[in-house]
Amino acid sequence: MPEFTKGELEIMQILWKHGEMKPAEIQEHFPWEITNSSLRSYLSILLDKGHLTRHRRGKAYFYRPRTKQESTFRKMLNELTRACCDGSVEKLLCHLIRSEKLSEDDLLELKRIAEASDEEPTSGKEKS
Amino acid sequence: MPEFTKGELEIMQILWKHGEMKPAEIQEHFPWEITNSSLRSYLSILLDKGHLTRHRRGKAYFYRPRTKQESTFRKMLNELTRACCDGSVEKLLCHLIRSEKLSEDDLLELKRIAEASDEEPTSGKEKS
DNA sequence: AATAAAGTGCGGTACAGTCCGCACGTAAAT
DNA sequence: ATTTACGTGCGGACTGTACCGCACTTTATT
């Protein structure tokens, strides 16, 4: 149960970004060509799964996300960590830093964030 | 084309960890109950997709990963970043740090790694 | 009230993913 | 050479995903 299929995830992204939309609007923002029909198939599946709500306004339904981007992020991150980093967040960080995805600026930013969070730990999990 | 399906990814994990195994061995390490038959279905799919090689030893085939864990990591990370962090690695880092997944020790480690990579950038991507 | 435009519900096809049984091959043991 | 144990190949069933057309409903327009 990988939370979302490819198409479903696309829709969630668009909705997370724009907040509330009707099918035709989502269709316009969709990253590839798709008919309104297909799009609405996804929408009703997401509705069934409980990831979306909708309510009528005018003659169309407007869809709104019920599942938070944040919680999806965590699930995907957990999966990634489990699958490719043997469940270790440390390995994840190492991979991340060695992955060439980070620019010089990112590294400095990272250091800054780490120091800030280190000094003022608002949500740090205790390990010892 | 999400690279691997759930079942396929499980097998890749096991193989990444143990290096080379025959079906019966993989089956034992599989995280849930599955028949040898089903398992082998996955294996032949992975073989077709080119993610695995196999060669006979005794009367059984031994399977070995052809696709690297590292490259899978990158693809999954890209997808995660795109889907939940608007494509920004910075946001990914923020999410990560605020996600309560990191312990105090992790943060210190993070700072250490960041400093090390900062001083000796072996694979840093230029941004400016 | 008739029409046009916009939107919905429903159903349907095609293919991928998951799961399995069974007949056949192979190699060692008797 | 026959049996037994282990392993493989093949094909099948069932479910989910991706995708779409069409008939119907609703609202605004004239």
Side-chain angles (χ1 to χ4, degrees):
Chain A
M1 42 173 86
E3 195 68 23
F4 297 111
T5 67
K6 184 164 175 54
E8 290 170 6
L9 189 55
E10 294 299 339
I11 291 179
M12 292 308 287
Q13 276 174 250
I14 295 169
L15 255 21
W16 280 326
K17 191 162 201 166
H18 294 87
E20 193 183 55
M21 296 170 100
K22 60 180 177 176
E25 292 168 341
I26 301 175
Q27 191 187 356
E28 282 168 19
H29 285 77
F30 214 71
W32 63 85
E33 281 294 311
I34 192 173
T35 63
N36 186 274
S37 226
S38 309
L39 210 233
R40 282 183 297 109
S41 289
Y42 292 158
L43 285 176
S44 59
I45 290 171
L46 284 169
L47 217 54
D48 288 348
K49 290 188 182 172
H51 293 302
L52 255 40
T53 1
R54 69 175 191 181
H55 57 100
R56 231 186 177 112
R57 211 168 62 200
K59 62 182 165 182
Y61 280 110
F62 282 73
Y63 293 79
R64 182 202 300 269
R66 250 166 69 90
T67 299
K68 293 280 183 299
Q69 190 180 33
E70 182 75 16
S71 69
T72 302
F73 169 78
R74 281 182 216 200
K75 282 196 179 135
M76 288 180 74
L77 186 66
N78 282 340
E79 186 54 25
L80 173 61
T81 307
R82 200 180 65 85
C84 297
C85 306
D86 308 314
S88 142
V89 184
E90 285 83 358
K91 279 197 182 172
L92 173 74
L93 289 172
C94 292
H95 267 181
L96 190 58
I97 286 168
R98 299 198 204 299
S99 71
E100 294 156 27
K101 297 287 303 175
L102 299 179
S103 65
E104 293 296 312
D105 289 350
D106 287 338
L107 285 171
L108 288 171
E109 171 76 2
L110 179 55
K111 206 164 72 172
R112 203 181 57 73
I113 292 171
E115 276 160 4
S117 296
D118 190 26
E119 284 155 12
E120 190 189 343
T122 50
S123 64
K125 192 186 68 184
E126 316 300 334
K127 195 184 217 175
S128 52
Chain B
M1 41 172 85
E3 195 68 22
F4 297 111
T5 67
K6 183 163 175 54
E8 290 170 6
L9 189 55
E10 294 298 339
I11 290 180
M12 293 307 288
Q13 277 174 250
I14 294 170
L15 254 22
W16 280 326
K17 191 161 202 166
H18 295 86
E20 193 184 56
M21 298 169 100
K22 61 178 176 176
E25 292 169 341
I26 301 175
Q27 191 187 356
E28 281 168 20
H29 286 77
F30 214 71
W32 63 86
E33 281 295 310
I34 192 174
T35 63
N36 188 274
S37 227
S38 309
L39 209 232
R40 283 184 297 108
S41 289
Y42 292 157
L43 285 176
S44 59
I45 290 171
L46 283 168
L47 216 54
D48 288 347
K49 290 189 183 173
H51 294 302
L52 256 41
T53 1
R54 70 176 191 180
H55 57 101
R56 233 189 173 107
R57 210 166 64 198
K59 61 182 166 182
Y61 280 110
F62 283 73
Y63 292 79
R64 181 201 300 267
R66 251 168 69 91
T67 299
K68 294 283 184 296
Q69 190 179 34
E70 182 75 15
S71 69
T72 303
F73 170 79
R74 281 182 215 199
K75 284 199 179 131
M76 289 180 74
L77 186 67
N78 281 340
E79 186 54 25
L80 172 61
T81 306
R82 200 181 63 84
C84 297
C85 306
D86 308 314
S88 140
V89 184
E90 285 83 357
K91 279 197 182 171
L92 174 74
L93 290 172
C94 291
H95 268 180
L96 190 58
I97 286 169
R98 301 199 203 298
S99 72
E100 293 155 28
K101 299 283 305 175
L102 298 179
S103 66
E104 293 296 313
D105 289 351
D106 288 336
L107 285 171
L108 289 171
E109 173 76 2
L110 177 56
K111 206 165 71 172
R112 204 182 56 71
I113 293 172
E115 277 161 5
S117 296
D118 190 25
E119 285 155 11
E120 190 188 343
T122 50
S123 63
K125 191 185 67 183
E126 316 300 334
K127 197 185 218 175
S128 53

